């Protein structure tokens, strides 16, 4: 059954649901109706790149769809999906490296809800560098990037393809016009603070920490879609097995609707979005100011509906590492790994 994500219909449905629940409460006291359990496998329980899921959890949107969610963490991020395939989870949150690898190995998965569409890694520079080079926030992206030519940019080992695309959009060659310094995630903030690097190509939690605690300057906002080749893609997605999609379509449809509710909230109310993330328990390591910073940056990266992007999946193979290997999309049909009955592909 196809999902329809009309905001007007959602508002009307929410109103009717509220009336129905109020009537039920009046008849049966405060007892809630029985909810269908759903086990959701995640790579990490505190990664704010997954904010769409955390908002759905904290805002109780799963419960409003008749579900009782339980988060189950993978043994390691690279093992995400194992619990799903073993039948120990109903749904799994898969980043591109994992769903690409599973497609290459022809695992029986289908993606059914997109959580993030734009690139979560952004470019920041130290405040003193920004002031010395007179970087103007209202300058074009091309001008901002050309201003930092020659600087040392810290980045993780696997993200260079996306940095190259960013600078190519300004007619630059990242390998020649910058000094690229590979820095492991846990060491990035220290390298930034002590001056070993002038800039960071980073994501949460380093991104918001640098912005709030070290007064970093955001120089390239990939998450806002500044670079077309890094926007409107398919980053994190919810997946289930083909067998689960056939056996429990009502459960998978309800999960997708909860995600759709969260996406509407993220694009309409940043304060309540932050409140929901806090309520989910996923933000124990961040203070409210850091959460406000990351929601402001990642909010535009969240798609407005759970629709899966077929072209985005194919593009991912050129931008992200795949574990254990990338699929050959000359032989692998992307549409075979999308549950069309729950998320209409682009």
């Amino acid at each position: 059954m196809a999902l329809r994500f009309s905001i007007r219909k959602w508002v009307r449905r929410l109103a009717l649901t509220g009336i129905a629940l109020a009537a039920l409460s009046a008849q049966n006291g405060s007892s809630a109706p029985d909810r269908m359990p759903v086990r959701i496998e995640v790579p990490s329980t505190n990664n704010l790149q997954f904010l769409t899921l955390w908002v759905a959890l904290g805002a109780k949107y799963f419960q409003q769809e008749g579900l009782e969610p339980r988060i189950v963490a993978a043994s390691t991020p690279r093992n995400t999906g194992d619990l799903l395939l073993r039948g120990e989870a109903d749904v799994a949150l898969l980043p591109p490296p994992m769903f690409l690898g599973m497609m290459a190995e022809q695992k029986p998965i289908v993606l059914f809800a997109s959580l993030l569409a734009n690139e979560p890694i952004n470019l920041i520079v130290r405040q003193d560098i920004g002031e010395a080079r007179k970087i103007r926030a209202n300058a074009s992206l091309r001008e901002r990037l050309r201003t930092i030519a020659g600087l040392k940019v810290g980045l993780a080992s696997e993200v260079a393809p996306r940095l190259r695309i960013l600078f190519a959009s300004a007619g630059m060659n990242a390998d020649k016009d910058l000094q690229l310094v590979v820095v492991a995630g846990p060491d990035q903030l220290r390298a930034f603070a002590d001056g070993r690097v002038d800039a960071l190509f980073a994501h949460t939690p380093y991104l918001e920490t640098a912005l709030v605690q070290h007064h970093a300057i955001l120089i390239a906002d990939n998450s806002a879609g500044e670079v077309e080749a890094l926007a409107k893609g398919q980053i994190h997605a919810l997946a289930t097995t083909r067998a689960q999609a056939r056996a429990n379509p009502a459960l998978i449809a309800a999960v997708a609707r909860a995600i759709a509710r969260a996406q509407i909230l993220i694009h309409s109310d940043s304060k309540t979005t932050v409140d929901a993330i806090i309520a989910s328990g996923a933000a124990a390591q961040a203070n409210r100011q850091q959460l406000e910073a990351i929601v402001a940056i990642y909010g535009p990266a969240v798609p407005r509906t759970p629709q899966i992007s077929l072209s985005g999946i194919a593009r991912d193979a050129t931008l992200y590492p795949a574990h254990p290997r990338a699929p050959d999309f000359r032989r692998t049909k992307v549409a075979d790994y999308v549950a069309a009955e729950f998320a209409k592909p682009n």
Side-chain angles (χ1 to χ4, degrees):
M1 57 181 182
L3 296 179
R4 298 179 176 84
F5 296 110
S6 162
I7 292 178
R8 183 175 297 176
K9 290 181 179 178
W10 271 106
V11 171
R12 184 164 58 248
R13 177 171 181 170
L14 287 171
L16 292 174
T17 300
I19 294 171
L21 289 175
L24 183 63
S25 177
Q27 293 175 6
N28 300 314
S30 60
S31 62
D34 291 338
R35 298 191 182 101
M36 187 185 306
V38 57
R39 300 163 298 175
I40 304 173
E41 181 184 4
V42 296
S44 166
T45 58
N46 60 8
N47 189 331
L48 294 179
Q49 289 186 38
F50 311 149
L51 81 162
T52 308
L53 176 62
W54 307 142
V55 170
L57 286 167
K60 303 294 184 183
Y61 289 148
F62 289 103
Q63 286 85 347
Q64 291 178 29
E65 291 295 336
L67 302 176
E68 193 56 53
R70 180 165 69 89
I71 299 298
V72 291
S75 57
T76 70
R78 286 196 178 186
N79 288 331
T80 308
D82 287 357
L83 296 176
L84 174 68
L85 293 173
R86 293 204 302 262
E88 297 173 26
D90 306 297
V91 170
L93 192 161
L94 300 179
M98 306 319 302
F99 66 67
L100 289 172
M102 295 171 82
M103 291 174 183
E105 293 191 319
Q106 300 182 353
K107 301 293 187 183
I109 64 156
V110 286
L111 308 185
F112 68 89
S114 176
L115 304 183
L116 201 66
N118 295 350
E119 175 56 48
I121 298 182
N122 296 284
L123 184 64
I124 55 175
V125 297
R126 294 203 322 266
Q127 184 180 35
D128 60 322
I129 296 290
E131 293 171 351
R133 298 213 171 193
K134 296 180 171 56
I135 297 173
R136 297 184 298 112
N138 61 351
S140 68
L141 176 63
R142 180 185 181 91
E143 182 179 340
R144 279 176 271 143
L145 293 180
R146 288 188 174 277
T147 303
I148 68 166
L151 294 184
K152 295 179 181 178
V153 179
L155 71 166
S157 60
E158 296 180 332
V159 305
R162 286 165 272 171
L163 183 71
R164 294 185 182 108
I165 285 178
L166 169 62
F167 277 85
S169 72
M172 299 175 69
N173 183 317
D175 296 292
K176 294 180 179 180
D177 296 330
L178 304 169
Q179 300 178 59
L180 303 185
V181 181
V182 174
V183 184
D187 296 325
Q188 287 184 356
L189 284 174
R190 182 175 299 175
F192 188 74
D194 67 18
R196 279 183 287 148
V197 297
D198 307 303
L200 277 181
F201 192 53
H203 54 60
T204 181
Y206 320 114
L207 178 61
E208 68 270 25
T209 303
L211 289 169
V212 173
Q213 294 185 6
H214 300 289
H215 310 292
I217 297 172
L218 182 65
I219 192 170
D221 190 355
N222 293 323
S223 297
E226 283 199 299
V227 178
E228 184 177 353
L230 297 174
K232 299 178 182 178
Q234 186 53 65
I235 317 297
H236 308 308
L238 292 183
T240 190
T241 62
R242 292 193 180 102
Q244 178 77 286
R246 288 193 300 268
N248 296 303
L251 182 146
I252 303 305
V255 170
R257 289 196 299 269
I259 294 301
R261 289 173 181 262
Q263 289 166 336
I264 291 172
L265 179 63
I266 290 167
H267 286 286
S268 62
D269 188 338
S270 59
K271 179 183 181 300
T272 306
T273 294
V274 171
D275 292 340
I277 295 172
I278 293 171
S280 75
Q285 299 178 6
N287 61 40
R288 188 173 187 96
Q289 190 178 5
Q290 290 172 319
L291 286 176
E292 289 170 349
I294 204 66
V295 166
I297 292 173
Y298 281 178
V302 172
R304 291 184 177 272
T305 79
Q307 296 176 1
I308 296 290
S309 170
L310 295 181
S311 61
I313 293 172
R315 189 176 76 187
D316 286 344
T318 67
L319 297 176
Y320 300 90
H323 305 297
R325 64 181 185 276
D328 182 350
F329 285 123
R330 294 171 299 179
R331 297 180 175 84
T332 300
K333 190 175 180 182
V334 176
D336 290 344
Y337 294 90
V338 173
E341 64 270 38
F342 306 113
K344 182 180 178 182
N346 292 337

